[in-house]
Amino acid sequence: MTLSVRIIACLDVTDGRVVKGVNFTDLVDAGDPVEMAALYDSEGVDELTFLDISASSAGRDTTLNVVRRTAEQVFIPLTVGGGIRSVDDVNRLLRAGADKVSINTAALKRPELISEIVDRFGSQVLVLSVDARRARTESGFEVTTHGGRESAGLDAIAWVEKACALGVGEILLNSMDADGTRAGYDIGMITAVRSVAKVPLIASGGAGALSDFAAALDAGADALLAASVFHFGVHRIGDVKRYLSGAGYSVRTVNNS
């Protein structure tokens, strides 16, 4: 049976508001996260991802509130990331209404956190967010931190392999070079990660033209995450689903949005 392609809207949240920029700089306000989540839900988005990009203690409180309010209104899978450092952090987010959590920096600092979360909650709740860019490494891609500004000193493909071995349930692959540019997903990066990832792969960074979504799927992505093209009305969720359906991909019900 062919699994349906998942279309995921990403909400980068700071101080209770959705923001978006290019390469994680020049951030502009994009709206209220709960209102935007409800809109995307009504348009037929398959999942929502909240990323607390401030990841401060105040931001964590804000995010818990946003998660609770959103979970009361929408009934699609909700992934939350940013500032997660422990099993207890995961527990708080799941209790607030998150279905999955996304970890990044904390796993780089202490990879065993992956195993701890999986042992407690199962691999299905854990998404590893990998912020990668092109670099002179063995694979040609390196892991970054701080919004793509600093190198983590790790080859991106080797890190994905290790994380899969530790039990992570999904990989969210963010191209730091393409983020917010609307110039297309990094096809080479997706292809390289697909060759080693034994779990579902979410492509992120660079969605622009409708054909970009199909190209990422052809490169091996299982799900497609986008932000600015949805936030600023370049495409509606229904536009993407109708395009992919017409191109022969299996998608969940397309709303008349």
Side-chain angles (χ1 to χ4, degrees):
M1 182 180 68
T2 302
L3 294 177
S4 295
V5 173
R6 288 175 290 147
I7 305 300
I8 304 172
C10 182
L11 307 179
D12 294 321
V13 179
T14 184
D15 297 326
R17 300 289 293 181
V18 176
V19 295
K20 190 58 189 172
V22 177
N23 305 127
F24 281 79
T25 61
D26 300 323
L27 300 177
V28 297
D29 188 287
D32 177 79
V34 180
E35 291 177 2
M36 293 175 73
L39 172 64
Y40 293 145
D41 183 31
S42 72
E43 291 187 349
V45 77
D46 298 304
E47 295 186 17
L48 290 166
T49 293
F50 283 125
L51 297 179
D52 173 9
I53 61 174
S54 58
S56 64
S57 57
R60 169 58 55 227
D61 292 339
T62 299
T63 302
L64 284 171
N65 183 44
V66 169
V67 170
R68 290 191 189 99
R69 290 165 56 212
T70 302
E72 291 171 357
Q73 293 194 33
V74 302
F75 300 95
I76 53 178
L78 176 62
T79 300
V80 182
I84 298 171
R85 300 177 182 87
S86 68
V87 168
D88 287 341
D89 290 337
V90 174
N91 189 50
R92 279 191 288 272
L93 285 167
L94 295 177
R95 287 180 175 275
D99 297 286
K100 294 185 276 188
V101 297
S102 173
I103 62 173
N104 187 339
T105 306
L108 290 168
K109 291 180 177 178
R110 203 168 63 84
E112 55 267 31
L113 177 62
I114 295 174
S115 299
E116 292 170 6
I117 294 172
V118 169
D119 288 346
R120 173 81 177 272
F121 303 105
S123 61
Q124 76 282 354
V125 308
L126 185 58
V127 179
L128 179 73
S129 182
V130 180
D131 294 342
R133 67 184 177 194
R134 290 176 176 264
R136 293 180 178 176
T137 65
E138 183 176 346
S139 71
F141 305 100
E142 70 174 355
V143 180
T144 69
T145 60
H146 299 83
R149 294 185 297 277
E150 297 184 16
S151 172
L154 283 174
D155 182 272
I157 306 308
W159 173 228
V160 168
E161 279 193 288
K162 181 174 182 176
C164 288
L166 289 170
V168 71
E170 286 185 285
I171 300 293
L172 170 55
L173 179 64
N174 310 299
S175 169
M176 294 293 97
D177 300 313
D179 177 78
T181 64
R182 302 183 196 169
Y185 293 96
D186 189 325
I187 300 305
M189 183 183 292
I190 295 169
T191 302
V193 171
R194 175 77 286 165
S195 70
V196 299
K198 307 305 180 187
V199 297
L201 174 60
I202 305 165
S204 170
L210 290 172
S211 58
D212 294 337
F213 292 89
L217 294 174
D218 291 340
D222 300 289
L224 304 165
L225 181 146
S228 63
V229 291
F230 295 147
H231 299 346
F232 302 117
V234 177
H235 302 302
R236 303 255 55 94
I237 303 296
D239 297 336
V240 177
K241 288 198 167 188
R242 279 186 285 272
Y243 175 84
L244 292 176
S245 179
Y249 299 92
S250 175
V251 297
R252 293 185 175 92
T253 304
V254 178
N255 287 1
N256 294 318
S257 50

